[in-house]
Amino acid sequence: MTATTPGSATGAAGAPETYDVVIIGAGPAGENVADRVVQGGLTAAIVERELVGGECSYWACMPTKALLRDAAAVRAARALPAAGRAVSGELDVDAVLRRRDRFASDWNDAGQVGWLEGVGITLVRGNGRITGSRSVTVTHADGTTTVLAARQAVVIATGTSAQVPPIPGLAEVKPWTSRDAAAVRTVPERLAIIGGGVVGSEMATAFSALGSRVTVISRTRMLPGVETFAGEHVATALEAAGVTLHLEAEATAARRDAEGAVHLTMGDGGVVTADEVLVATGRTPNTKDLGLDHLGLAAGGWLAVDESLAVVDEAGMPVDGGWLYAAGDVNARVLLTHHGKYQARALGDAIAARARGDRPDLSAWGRHAVTADERAVTQVVFTDPEVAAVGLSAETAAAAGIEVRVADYDLGAVAGASLHADSYRGQARMVIDAERNVLVGFTAVGPDVAALLHAATIAVTAEIPLERLWHAVPAYPTISEIWLRLLETDGRDH
């Protein structure tokens, strides 16, 4: 048996070990649900078939940002004349990869397992499947099984995996997914990336800086999920860095030749040749082998949830009385680690509150409702330049029926930005609900714009009237002066 103390999960199948809450998936969402329910006085067991810490810790957020950081630091230094003269030579690729390894804990989860033990969460290693009402059977690596029973709730937090598009021959060339890119040992001379979204854009930035000749093939513009101007800034910078972009184009076939090179046939008949190809075209939920059929749900699909994150059926009703929940990417609300953790905190608190009888209505407005998933989704894209966004774009706000007013400003004209880097290039936009005169969206693109994001998040989440934002005085000379300039621009426009 592969159960970690405290607690025990060594019972044979048919003799269940009982906990208040059983969580399937020990990524960021699962860990946070478990932590909150334990803090609320309940017992919790968490089931994991891979590494405790999940995708973000080992194959996504942390290692990929480590791959990007050294090159970003060099670019920042070279943007200043004196500092630029002090920086010479090329990146030490091996040193970058060694630092990446540290951020991925060398793909060893002992530290996170120790954290689980320290806070009183039982870890059960293996593949968890729902086998009945409030019942999860875990199959361990040696083929033995453990049955876990939940008094209060079962939470699915199994996340997603990379989706490989159905391009003829692509599966046979064994393309990289985001996991392969994050854990790369040898940087290829030529890398083709299929997909121009966040993963495609970030990995194009990283691998071009590490020495690859990168080609991006995207059926859309770059970064279709953000304001158009932001994607255009990133596309321009990638091309300046030597990346070849095929936008609004697609690969129609793939093959690997006897020498190992991959050839991608394009829709216009052209061919892109590379040593490796990375697919970055979306995610698919990890729900194929969860036993969802025991509850009348289809395997392999996204889990629909209500505002309390209870899994619901096609009619929108909680499944089997409402004991099954889904947190994080698997519910498709927002596929971002920080939003999965946000959902998990709210859900864990709500489950504990219901167990105490404090709050029977888990969907009630307030602390336990995950309203940010609709109102204030936050995201930073760690390209060069960075993109930081919260809330709605002008396009999505208009599509939602909001009377939209926008204010745009050149970030390079802000004193703090010009001090930050010579020839600073960037742009910021406020998206305003004209009827209520409140901010519903904000996007900035430029070096280090992530520092602006939380101020915008507070403004959007709190629905602060623009009349009050005038009294939030930005310090001079900092890049935050963009807020004054945007408000001035908006004031002149109406």
Side-chain angles (χ1 to χ4, degrees):
M1 290 298 170
T2 51
T4 300
T5 56
S8 173
T10 58
E17 293 288 333
T18 302
Y19 300 85
D20 291 313
V21 182
V22 175
I23 303 103
I24 306 175
E31 286 181 315
N32 274 269
V33 172
D35 186 36
R36 295 301 261 236
V37 298
V38 168
Q39 288 186 43
L42 304 183
T43 60
I46 194 165
V47 181
E48 177 55 54
R49 61 185 174 86
E50 292 188 302
L51 296 177
V52 174
E55 201 79 8
C56 183
S57 295
Y58 307 103
W59 301 287
C61 317
M62 298 306 293
T64 59
K65 303 316 172 278
L67 286 176
L68 288 157
R69 179 56 192 160
D70 286 86
V74 170
R75 284 192 297 267
R78 289 177 177 168
L80 298 169
R85 284 195 294 271
V87 176
S88 61
E90 301 299 323
L91 280 178
D92 183 335
V93 174
D94 289 339
V96 171
L97 298 183
R98 287 194 299 272
R99 185 170 186 264
R100 181 275 320 271
D101 291 351
R102 293 199 304 273
F103 275 90
S105 302
D106 291 309
W107 292 272
N108 185 308
D109 64 359
Q112 299 214 47
V113 170
W115 174 81
L116 290 180
E117 294 176 344
V119 298
I121 299 165
T122 296
L123 169 65
V124 185
R125 298 274 194 184
N127 188 64
R129 299 183 79 253
I130 295 168
T131 48
S133 185
R134 303 173 190 259
S135 180
V136 174
T137 298
V138 182
T139 301
H140 307 291
D142 62 3
T144 60
T145 59
T146 297
V147 178
L148 306 175
R151 298 184 189 93
Q152 300 293 335
V154 173
V155 179
I156 296 175
T158 48
T160 59
S161 298
Q163 178 175 278
V164 178
I167 297 171
L170 183 60
E172 286 72 25
V173 306
K174 297 182 178 179
W176 284 4
T177 68
S178 54
R179 282 194 169 198
D180 300 294
V184 65
R185 290 297 170 190
T186 303
V187 175
E189 182 178 345
R190 300 166 297 179
L191 176 65
I193 300 174
I194 301 176
V198 174
V199 172
S201 299
E202 289 186 346
M203 290 301 94
T205 302
F207 279 89
S208 63
L210 293 173
S212 291
R213 296 202 306 273
V214 177
T215 301
V216 176
I217 303 164
S218 176
R219 299 179 66 180
T220 65
R221 62 178 175 86
M222 293 302 292
L223 294 173
V226 300
E227 297 274 14
T228 299
F229 70 82
E232 290 173 348
H233 273 267
V234 172
T236 298
L238 285 172
E239 289 183 317
V243 176
T244 301
L245 302 182
H246 295 280
L247 304 182
E248 298 184 0
E250 59 182 326
T252 58
R255 67 177 180 87
R256 193 181 289 272
D257 65 26
E259 286 71 42
V262 177
H263 304 276
L264 299 172
T265 302
M266 302 295 291
D268 62 2
V271 176
V272 171
T273 301
D275 300 297
E276 299 292 348
V277 55
L278 164 64
V279 292
T281 55
R283 309 289 294 180
T284 186
N286 293 328
T287 60
K288 288 183 180 178
D289 190 28
L290 284 178
L292 296 177
D293 54 302
H294 286 89
L295 302 174
L297 299 173
W302 301 98
L303 294 175
V305 296
D306 63 16
E307 285 304 305
S308 72
L309 301 184
V311 176
V312 297
D313 58 21
E314 291 182 357
M317 298 300 295
V319 171
D320 198 25
W323 53 267
L324 183 66
Y325 297 85
D329 288 5
V330 75
N331 65 30
R333 288 175 70 97
V334 183
L335 273 64
L336 293 166
T337 294
H338 45 282
H339 275 268
K341 292 164 71 172
Y342 158 72
Q343 292 175 16
R345 291 189 295 269
L347 176 57
D349 288 350
I351 291 171
R354 187 180 70 172
R356 294 191 303 266
D358 295 346
R359 196 182 185 96
D361 182 6
L362 299 187
S363 63
W365 197 259
R367 176 180 173 187
H368 300 316
V370 286
T371 56
D373 286 351
E374 291 87 18
R375 297 181 180 184
V377 173
T378 56
Q379 183 171 28
V380 176
V381 186
F382 291 86
T383 43
D384 171 36
E386 284 181 348
V387 179
V390 59
L392 303 175
S393 66
E395 182 180 2
T396 56
I402 296 172
E403 183 185 344
V404 173
R405 189 171 79 241
V406 301
D408 292 319
Y409 201 81
D410 176 6
L411 267 168
V414 173
S418 63
L419 285 170
H420 182 89
D422 286 3
S423 302
Y424 187 106
R425 293 180 178 85
Q427 182 179 341
R429 167 174 289 179
M430 292 195 309
V431 180
I432 302 158
D433 181 333
E435 182 179 352
R436 296 186 298 143
N437 207 35
V438 299
L439 201 67
V440 294
F442 173 86
T443 298
V445 58
D448 295 326
V449 293
L452 296 170
L453 187 57
H454 203 58
T457 302
I458 292 170
V460 171
T461 304
E463 300 178 305
I464 300 172
L466 265 60
E467 291 86 351
R468 291 302 306 161
L469 283 181
W470 276 98
H471 299 283
V473 181
Y476 180 88
T478 70
I479 196 172
S480 292
E481 192 187 8
I482 186 62
W483 289 104
L484 173 60
R485 302 307 173 205
L486 287 168
L487 288 166
E488 289 176 335
T489 300
D490 178 60
R492 287 194 293 269
D493 288 345
H494 74 284

